[in-house]
């Protein structure tokens, strides 16, 4: 197996910089569209053979160094008892959002083997299929990011209800975070036991918080999850979107790897993160809409700066966009491999 990705996470020496791409299985790939034409998104997530098939697609088509389980961060939220739908164009919708202590009481703990067997079955199929290929990454949303969906009832721009609850009813907010944290820990630990060889925690909306609020309301829960997963021995990646104002705090999370977005210079981010953690990122997803010359300049710069980190896993700074030309994603993977093995 190509274990370059796992070695870079741990800060061990590698022959080239490994790369995977957030949202690498998705609508920009015609091969994904073909599977997706037959079933809706949630059915795809809940059908292990199909979920495994689309997980492997980018490994074979692009040549990335890791696979990421095909699922969604909101799948365990549904298992907690909230009705989940994905609407074309509108994204996720959760009925009856959590706004009061009574709403909170509706939320259940989960037993992954009973409530989410399809996730664990997908992982088992994938470990067999990927045996001679690349490692498998499991994932979950960070508690704050999940809380935004549960409180807003879907995607949000200003997180008005979430932040209002946080600031005006902090105890209610902490109680909700405690419940989500417990579920997330159970869920990630089940993924690792089923065969996930690394896990990523997506804090996609933490960057919307003032640093003090991030420190009080998001970070402690991420720390708790990471320290409780530690004994399971797999690398833990903590992705913080819009991380520019939060890096000094994020470095205290206990993660092996901090994932960063493109709004921050990776060289400066590495200085701020220190030598104890590896770094993942951080190409602007829109760079894949330029030409190969521009792309090469940007990739070369990130690789050069990335060499100063304990370890560097190349990635985009956030998910690949649905309109991305697949040949540019393939060019990116080749470029990262070639340029980094020469440096
Ligand atoms: O990275 C991968 O290839 C693995 C699969 C994956 C998906 N979602 C598939 C998906 C992962 C890791 C996620 C995580 C996820 N989901 C996050 C965190 C990452 C991030 O982007 O910040 C978030 C915030 C979500 C919630 C979510 N899921 C939204 C807001 C949407 C709608 C927007 C959109 O892109 O359509 C989704 C749907 C979704 N999740 C799709 C895919 C492939 C598109 C569904 C389709 O096929 O129509």
């Amino acid at each position: 197996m190509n274990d370059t990705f796992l070695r870079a996470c741990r800060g061990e020496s590698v022959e080239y910089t490994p790369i995977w791409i957030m949202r690498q299985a998705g609508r920009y790939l015609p091969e994904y569209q073909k599977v997706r034409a037959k079933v809706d998104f949630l059915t795809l997530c809940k059908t292990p053979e199909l979920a495994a098939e689309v997980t492997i697609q980018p490994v074979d088509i692009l040549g990335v160094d890791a696979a990421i389980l095909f699922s969604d961060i909101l799948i365990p939220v549904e298992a907690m008892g909230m009705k989940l739908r994905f609407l074309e164009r509108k994204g996720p919708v959760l009925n009856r959002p959590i706004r009061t202590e009574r709403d909170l009481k509706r939320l259940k703990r989960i037993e992954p083997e009973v409530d989410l067997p399809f996730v664990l079955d997908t992982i088992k199929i994938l470990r067999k299929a990927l045996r001679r290929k690349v490692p498998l990454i499991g994932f979950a949303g960070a508690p704050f990011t999940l809380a935004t969906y549960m409180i807003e009832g879907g995607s949000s721009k200003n997180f008005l209800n979430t932040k209002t609850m946080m600031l005006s009813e902090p105890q209610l907010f902490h109680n909700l975070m405690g419940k989500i944290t417990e579920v997330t820990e159970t869920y990630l630990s089940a993924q690792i036991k089923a065969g996930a060889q690394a896990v990523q925690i997506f804090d996609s909306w933490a960057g919307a918080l003032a640093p003090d609020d991030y420190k009080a309301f998001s970070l402690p829960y991420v720390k708790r999850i990471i320290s409780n997963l530690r004994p399971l021995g797999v690398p833990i990646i903590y992705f913080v979107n819009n991380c520019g104002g939060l890096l000094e705090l994020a470095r205290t999370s206990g993660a092996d790897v901090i994932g960063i977005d493109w709004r921050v210079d990776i060289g400066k981010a590495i200085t701020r993160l220190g030598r104890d953690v590896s770094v993942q990122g951080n190409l602007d997803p829109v760079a894949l809409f330029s030409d190969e010359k521009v792309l090469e300049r940007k990739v070369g710069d990130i690789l050069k700066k990335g060499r100063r980190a304990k370890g560097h896993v190349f990635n985009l700074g956030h998910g690949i966009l649905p309109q991305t030309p697949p040949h540019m994603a393939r060019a990116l993977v080749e470029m990262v491999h070639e340029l980094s093995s020469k440096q």
Side-chain angles (χ1 to χ4, degrees), residues 145-164:
T145 291
L146 292 181
T148 67
Y149 287 98
M150 295 167 79
I151 298 169
E152 305 294 339
S155 301
S156 170
K157 211 169 157 198
N158 295 315
F159 308 105
L160 195 61
N161 296 292
T162 308
K163 289 186 181 179
T164 304

Side-chain angles (χ1 to χ4, degrees), residues 3-44:
D3 68 344
T4 325
F5 161 75
L6 293 175
R7 281 189 275 140
C9 287
R10 295 193 203 101
E12 296 166 10
S13 74
V14 284
E15 305 75 49
Y16 61 85
T17 304
I19 170 171
W20 70 278
I21 298 175
M22 286 189 273
R23 293 277 184 101
Q24 64 190 12
R27 283 167 298 187
Y28 75 104
L29 285 178
E31 293 84 352
Y32 171 85
Q33 300 270 23
K34 220 173 136 191
V35 178
R36 180 67 175 73
K38 291 184 280 190
V39 288
D40 64 37
F41 174 64
L42 274 177
T43 307
L44 179 48

Side-chain angles (χ1 to χ4, degrees), residues 164-234:
T164 304
M165 184 197 289
M166 200 176 84
L167 300 173
S168 313
E169 294 181 272
Q171 199 50 53
L172 174 60
F173 187 81
H174 279 302
N175 291 346
L176 172 61
M177 291 291 281
K179 274 200 166 179
I180 303 173
T181 300
E182 203 183 311
V183 165
T184 305
E185 246 170 55
T186 313
Y187 183 48
L188 284 175
S189 135
Q191 289 186 33
I192 296 167
K193 285 172 186 156
Q197 290 152 292
V199 290
Q200 173 155 315
I201 300 170
F202 284 91
D203 219 346
S204 303
W205 311 130
L209 288 173
D212 278 351
D213 292 329
Y214 171 73
K215 190 176 173 189
F217 293 102
S218 171
L219 185 60
Y221 299 96
V222 174
K223 280 187 183 171
R224 194 196 295 174
I225 295 171
I226 293 175
S227 76
N228 287 332
L229 293 177
R230 232 339 117 225
L232 297 176
V234 306

